[in-house]
Amino acid sequence: MKPVEIKPNIYWVGAIDWGVRDFHGYVTPNGTTYNNYLIADDQITLVDCVKDDFAKYTIESIQNIVDPGKIENVVINHIEPDHAGSLAPIMELAPKATIYITAKGKAGLDRYMDTSGWRFRVVKTGDTLHTGNKTLTFLNTPMLHWPDSMMTYIEEDGLLISQDAFGQHYATAGRFDDEFLTCCSVAELEDAVLDYYANILMPFGSLIKGKIAEIEKLGLKIDMIAPDHGVIWRSDPGKVLNMYLDMANGKAREGVVIIYDTMWKSTALMAQPLMQGIRDENMEVKVIKLRATPMSIAVKEFWKYRGCLLGTPTLNNIMYPSVADFLTHLRGLRPKNRIVGAFGSYGWGGGAVKEAYGEFDRMGLEKVEPGVEIKYRPSLEDEQSCYAFGKAFAKEVRKYHRKF
Ligand code: FEO
């Protein structure tokens, strides 16, 4: 791929993955990019690598600028294979290069690949690398989103290479946010940021707030944010910083997503009057059927709205498997600042709704009880109960939303 100069003598040498639709288990309907950057200074320095299948592309891109054998330093901000997977072929070409990495990164890398014979310099926050005309400062960001994670700041250019943070899974021909907006919309870009945050960074909201505060305290002038996925924030890096701060502070839309699954359509039939009750309170509402929707999209929609009503039939006295699966996944993401309720149908014995509330308790979410559970098919009276619960739920969502 053709390198793109993003700052004087700093080039994007990454790869565009137009076709990936399953990124370690979650859907990427728009593909993704693996971004890495070459600093063509007195000391040639590569910041990050790409996924192993794309090694050829980054090597060809580097060759357009310099002989890869001349690389003296390789910075590994993050060891996950989509960023460090092509390190071995790079090191074959530049065997004398020094790898800059955190202590946890080094320990992890040793488990992923044979690092014997490679030179390392273990770095921590504040350590620097002078490449000639540029000064790279490292900033540890543990658990954003792996223990090894760090960012690299280049003082002379106000450039923050932020690794996964501030990224988006979106394959685009243009490398910058302003180029993206000539072919897509602000809403699509914001949705891609939200999707990424919800599925990868949701558990780390307080760490994100702390790290942004630390960056502010260090007084780093940030002119550009270059993540390892998606577009580079050139026109307005403050936009994505503010979006992250908002999300870390619990910002959500004042609305409800109804996420349900159904066996013989009884729980689906309940969703309709619930939705109507919410609408009649003049509140935004969206309805998602789980088996018809990839998990990561359901997670994104959950995260987008202040309230969620979860619908589950009872099967063998417990929750329907797809709903249980969703809640287990959600618990791992440690959602905060959301209000929830549950509904569902049963045949001869209920229990799923109670179980769902048990899961909400485990997650520490605000609840509106008792939900609605009905036998077999919803009767007219049952539909009225659903409608009433929808209205009551919307009122509670509105009240709760005012706290933020
Ligand atoms: Fe894009 Fe944590 O890897």
Side-chain angles (χ1 to χ4, degrees):
M1 292 190 192
K2 194 177 162 196
V4 177
E5 190 168 26
I6 64 164
K7 284 281 184 183
N9 299 318
I10 302 179
Y11 297 85
W12 174 87
V13 287
I16 306 170
D17 191 348
W18 299 100
V20 64
R21 291 293 178 269
D22 180 335
F23 190 92
H24 64 44
Y26 81 84
V27 295
T28 46
N30 302 301
T32 193
T33 70
Y34 312 107
N35 300 336
N36 60 339
Y37 304 94
L38 187 82
I39 302 167
D41 203 0
D42 298 346
Q43 290 182 29
I44 306 292
T45 300
L46 182 67
V47 182
D48 295 330
C49 294
V50 297
K51 199 176 171 191
D52 53 358
D53 329 6
F54 291 84
K56 174 180 175 292
Y57 296 95
T58 195
I59 289 167
E60 281 173 6
S61 196
I62 294 166
Q63 280 166 340
N64 278 317
I65 305 162
V66 68
D67 171 2
K70 294 196 168 143
I71 294 173
E72 290 187 48
N73 311 302
V74 180
V75 176
I76 294 292
N77 281 315
H78 179 31
I79 62 165
E80 198 167 0
D82 52 329
H83 305 297
S86 62
L87 179 58
I90 297 277
M91 292 305 288
E92 265 178 43
L93 296 169
K96 292 193 175 148
T98 302
I99 298 166
Y100 289 74
I101 193 165
T102 61
K104 288 199 169 149
K106 167 74 171 66
L109 203 64
D110 288 345
R111 304 301 298 261
Y112 273 112
M113 55 189 82
D114 179 6
T115 64
S116 52
W118 294 353
R119 296 177 194 184
F120 284 92
R121 187 181 145 200
V122 169
V123 293
K124 56 184 186 322
T125 294
D127 287 349
T128 54
L129 162 64
H130 298 281
T131 57
N133 298 301
K134 309 221 185 251
T135 312
L136 281 61
T137 303
F138 304 109
L139 185 66
N140 283 25
T141 56
M143 294 321 297
L144 290 178
H145 67 121
W146 275 26
D148 59 281
S149 302
M150 70 171 183
M151 297 182 187
T152 298
Y153 175 69
I154 302 174
E155 192 181 312
E156 293 76 8
D157 300 289
L159 172 64
L160 182 68
I161 298 177
S162 62
Q163 176 248 118
D164 278 323
F166 311 122
Q168 336 88 49
H169 283 308
Y170 220 116
T172 51
R175 300 276 54 82
F176 299 100
D177 53 346
D178 46 299
E179 293 179 298
F180 180 98
L181 296 176
T182 58
C183 63
C184 304
S185 67
V186 174
E188 280 172 293
L189 182 55
E190 287 181 356
D191 197 64
V193 172
L194 188 138
D195 182 59
Y196 196 92
Y197 185 102
N199 281 286
I200 296 180
L201 296 164
M202 193 196 296
F204 310 118
S206 49
L207 290 174
I208 286 166
K209 275 198 282 184
K211 200 47 69 177
I212 292 177
E214 191 183 324
I215 289 170
E216 281 169 358
K217 204 167 154 196
L218 289 169
L220 304 185
K221 176 190 151 284
I222 296 176
D223 183 59
M224 182 184 282
I225 295 178
D228 278 3
H229 295 290
V231 294
I232 296 165
W233 300 91
R234 169 172 74 177
S235 71
D236 184 9
K239 179 189 173 82
V240 74
L241 276 170
N242 287 334
M243 276 188 79
Y244 265 55
L245 264 182
D246 283 346
M247 287 189 279
N249 283 320
K251 188 175 176 182
R253 288 167 85 113
E254 189 186 69
V256 177
V257 59
I258 298 175
I259 298 176
Y260 76 95
D261 215 329
T262 194
M263 285 177 69
W264 288 106
K265 297 194 174 69
S266 295
T267 303
L269 286 169
M270 296 173 78
Q272 191 60 28
L274 282 160
M275 182 275 290
Q276 196 58 55
I278 296 163
R279 269 312 294 146
D280 288 351
E281 286 297 320
N282 290 317
M283 182 166 282
E284 187 180 343
V285 56
K286 188 165 193 170
V287 181
I288 284 183
K289 182 186 173 191
L290 270 177
R291 274 178 302 152
T293 310
M295 176 84 79
S296 55
I297 291 179
V299 165
K300 176 184 71 174
E301 296 300 332
F302 173 89
W303 183 242
K304 193 184 286 179
Y305 293 99
R306 183 65 67 202
C308 174
L309 278 178
L310 192 87
T312 174
T314 294
L315 177 64
N316 300 326
N317 303 112
I318 59 173
M319 281 186 285
Y320 198 64
S322 58
V323 181
D325 190 24
F326 174 72
L327 284 179
T328 302
H329 184 68
L330 194 63
R331 180 154 50 83
L333 291 166
R334 304 201 292 273
K336 288 191 176 67
N337 309 317
R338 297 297 185 272
I339 183 165
V340 289
F343 65 98
S345 61
Y346 63 92
W348 45 100
V353 166
K354 189 172 167 212
E355 265 214 332
Y357 276 101
E359 277 298 309
F360 298 154
D361 280 336
R362 291 178 78 183
M363 287 187 258
L365 295 170
E366 188 81 11
K367 299 168 295 176
V368 181
E369 293 181 287
V372 195
E373 195 162 36
I374 64 108
K375 188 163 183 168
Y376 290 128
R377 214 58 160 179
S379 65
L380 193 58
E381 265 178 25
D382 291 333
E383 285 179 3
Q384 284 164 352
S385 302
C386 288
Y387 178 80
F389 186 60
K391 278 180 86 75
F393 187 73
K395 284 180 186 150
E396 292 302 319
V397 170
R398 186 157 283 137
K399 223 186 287 173
Y400 186 63
H401 187 72
R402 285 194 199 111
K403 296 184 180 175
F404 297 91

